[in-house]
């Protein structure tokens, strides 16, 4: 079990950053990645998943991380949201992209080859409340 606190980032007026402030799990990041989450989830819809790897700073001012960062349409999924992607795990909505509109998510990966192998997929998406 974990507690997530959203804090407004001072340099981005409407942005929230997720921070884990308490944890009873031995490895919170592993728990989040596995999708083994006991919190309430709100179904957002079926999404098209893509992958990207370039970029040193996200739209929210963080450094993108493999297995952690996703790019979203912030009018559909707010920045800072913990997002559970069925079959892939839990990520944080930290970035956006020009081609990411509506029910699309770009998952940050470590290399161009990983992105090509990932291709284009579909999955059910939930926001963890």
């Amino acid at each position: 079990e974990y507690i997530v606190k959203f804090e407004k980032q001072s340099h981005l007026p409407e942005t929230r950053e997720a921070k884990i402030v308490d944890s009873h799990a031995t490895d919170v990041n592993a728990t989040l990645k596995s999708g083994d989450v006991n919190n309430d989830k709100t179904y957002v819809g079926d999404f098209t998943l893509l992958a990207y790897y370039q970029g040193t700073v996200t739209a929210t001012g963080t450094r993108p991380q493999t297995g952690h960062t996703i790019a979203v349409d912030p009018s559909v999924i707010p920045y800072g949201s913990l997002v559970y992607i069925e079959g892939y795990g839990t990520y944080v909505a930290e970035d956006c992209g020009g081609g990411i509109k509506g029910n699309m998510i770009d998952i940050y990966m470590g290399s161009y080859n990983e992105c090509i192998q990932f291709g284009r997929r579909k999955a059910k998406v939930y926001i963890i409340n």
Side-chain angles (χ1 to χ4, degrees):
E1 183 174 299
Y2 57 88
I3 298 168
V4 175
K5 178 180 176 184
F6 286 96
E7 295 179 352
K8 185 174 162 183
Q9 292 182 344
S10 60
H11 63 286
L12 297 168
E14 294 297 321
T15 302
R16 297 180 305 164
E17 180 180 53
K19 293 191 179 204
I20 296 173
V21 294
D22 186 26
S23 170
H24 299 293
T26 57
D27 185 350
V28 173
N29 290 329
T31 301
L32 291 176
K33 188 172 182 181
S34 73
D36 183 18
V37 179
N38 294 323
N39 288 6
D40 292 330
K41 293 181 273 194
T42 302
Y43 177 68
V44 185
D46 289 340
F47 278 63
T48 298
L49 307 177
L50 303 164
Y52 75 111
Y53 78 100
Q54 292 181 329
T56 57
V57 179
T58 67
T60 59
T62 63
R63 300 184 109 212
Q65 300 173 48
T66 303
H68 176 86
T69 302
I70 56 173
V72 299
D73 178 340
S75 69
V76 177
I77 297 175
Y79 288 136
S81 296
L82 286 178
V83 178
Y84 174 69
I85 303 171
E86 194 171 82
Y88 299 93
T90 304
Y91 298 84
V92 179
E94 297 179 319
D95 209 356
C96 67
I100 304 302
K101 302 288 184 208
N103 285 18
M104 295 181 81
I105 290 178
D106 229 353
I107 300 174
Y108 185 79
M109 301 213 169
S111 72
Y112 175 77
N113 286 337
E114 287 177 85
C115 294
I116 295 301
Q117 287 176 352
F118 188 82
R120 182 183 204 99
R121 303 178 185 192
K122 296 269 189 187
K124 294 185 183 313
V125 172
Y126 303 81
I127 292 179
I128 298 173
N129 302 321

